[in-house]
Amino acid sequence: LANYGVYYFRRFVLMQSKTKAAGDHVESMSRRWRRNELMKELPNIVVVNKNRNKYSETFVDHRVRTLREQGYFVHYLFGGYFPDTSSVSGALITHAPWRIHFLAFWELFWNRGNNYFLRKAFRKYLRKHRITLVLAEFGTVGAQIFEDCKACNVPLIVTYRGYDIHHVGTIEKHKEAYRQMLAYSSKVLCVSVAIRDKLQTMYGPLDNLVYLPLDVDVELFEYSDHSSNENVFLSVGRFSETKAQHLVVLAFEKVLKKIPHAKLVLVGADGGTGHLENVMTLVKALKIEDAVSFKGVLSKKAVLQEMQNAIVYIQHSVKTPVNHDMEGTPVSVAEAMLCGLPVVATKHAGIAEIIEHGKTGLLVAEFDVDAMATEMKKLIMDRQLASAMASAASEKMRAMPELAGYANLLRKMVEESRIKG
């Protein structure tokens, strides 16, 4: 009673908004009550992703936080390429195995198609919560849900981030669905120029493509000088074929012959293909275990600490020979540039779009291990060059319109899409 009394006093005597009266001042009021009040007051939008909290997808978490700070109530849906769980209400249908099998049987028996009941639940969710916009992370997710958004007359924004438009098998599987999804989407966000060009090549001129390369916490990654640090090289990211950490190790092994006391720190976990164990095996075969550290998954603040302790950041991203898979614009490269850590990387997709060779970083050809080793040694031997290059990189990143004005750009696109819908 006391809490409600305080709330209504602030609402109708002090004339405060519902958000301010409940969210900021009455901490003991139930979380659910405050959430429901916010849902009534704020525009409701949905962010859909396959994963809930994948450590390597910090860009999704940053986008969700930015949207909330911009005044939206964000429902986060996840659980597969077609979502089955909501951050607000839990399971859209059920998580009980026997019920899942039962529903699958009825879908088969009545020839309803896959995810028939889940699709019904998703559409019901959009209508029940008066969702005014859906944002799909990755084209593969958008390809699954666009028909349901269309059926509910809810506008859709899709973000392409790399494998979803470069991986041969993924393209073949979703090619026609992509065509229909692109036609319906209000905005299609591309994290690299290479992705934007690929979409234009495949589907012709599209007027809803927007270049928005990075979702990075600029305030967290403050600039500092690294020129007096020890000879520690750093590479951050999930272990995968596109990030090619084994090539980083091969380059580092060459550096080690010239600089025996150098160290290499690798941060990240396996991406699901066993690449981490392959890299560990290579390190053991080269007999450089004492010089290479595997740190596993670290928090964003812990990653920042590793960057502050390093002297050079390394990224040897490649286009894979078989599946032609590529990255978008690696967030870790941008974070290194922001915090003043000089970068040696490959001329790969979005990396070559944000680094100017010789001025804001050093770039080498993909698979050229010798060239990467040479550039790594150059920065170790010339600390003045490394410091100047890192300072220029940080300044360039902070002045980048898509990064400096990220929150406003995102809000503008969201509002334009909601009005269109």
Side-chain angles (χ1 to χ4, degrees), residues 124-326:
K124 181 179 179 181
Y125 189 95
L126 297 182
R127 296 186 179 107
K128 175 183 177 181
H129 295 287
R130 304 182 306 280
I131 302 301
T132 58
L133 176 69
V134 172
L135 294 93
E137 294 294 337
F138 299 94
T140 46
V141 173
Q144 295 293 320
I145 65 173
F146 81 91
E147 290 182 346
D148 304 281
C149 294
K150 188 175 182 179
C152 297
N153 196 31
V154 176
L156 174 67
I157 293 178
V158 180
T159 301
Y160 277 92
R161 295 191 177 274
Y163 86 92
D164 43 5
I165 194 59
H166 292 308
H167 188 280
V168 172
T170 301
I171 295 172
E172 289 302 317
K173 182 178 180 180
H174 299 287
K175 191 171 184 178
E176 185 53 37
Y178 280 175
R179 186 185 306 280
Q180 298 177 48
M181 177 193 70
L182 290 167
Y184 177 72
S185 300
S186 300
K187 303 287 184 184
V188 179
L189 311 185
C190 307
V191 302
S192 72
V193 174
I195 290 175
R196 185 182 65 190
D197 292 346
K198 183 72 173 288
L199 287 169
Q200 297 274 23
T201 300
M202 289 180 61
Y203 298 104
L206 297 167
D207 58 7
N208 55 353
L209 300 186
V210 179
Y211 175 63
L212 192 66
L214 296 163
D215 298 83
V216 182
D217 191 339
V218 177
E219 294 181 0
L220 177 62
F221 288 86
E222 295 181 351
Y223 172 82
S224 62
D225 182 50
H226 294 69
S227 59
S228 61
N229 288 356
E230 296 181 359
N231 296 331
V232 178
F233 295 94
L234 175 67
S235 186
V236 179
R238 61 185 173 82
F239 283 74
S240 64
E241 289 84 352
T242 52
K243 292 187 183 294
Q245 284 90 343
H246 61 295
L247 300 182
V248 171
V249 169
L250 289 175
F252 173 72
E253 192 264 343
K254 294 178 181 296
V255 172
L256 206 55
K257 293 176 181 178
K258 179 73 174 179
I259 309 171
H261 300 297
K263 301 290 183 183
L264 173 63
V265 174
L266 298 171
V267 175
D270 189 75
T273 60
H275 191 63
L276 171 58
E277 191 165 25
N278 291 337
V279 175
M280 288 180 166
T281 301
L282 176 61
V283 169
K284 190 174 183 65
L286 294 173
K287 296 181 173 57
I288 56 174
E289 301 103 304
D290 293 340
V292 181
S293 300
F294 293 87
K295 293 296 183 78
V297 177
L298 298 179
S299 68
K300 189 57 69 175
K301 289 185 178 179
V303 168
L304 174 60
Q305 186 61 54
E306 293 293 340
M307 288 185 173
Q308 290 174 336
N309 295 335
I311 189 67
V312 176
Y313 185 86
I314 313 299
Q315 183 88 18
H316 200 115
S317 298
V318 300
K319 180 178 180 179
T320 59
V322 177
N323 291 313
H324 299 171
D325 196 4
M326 295 173 63

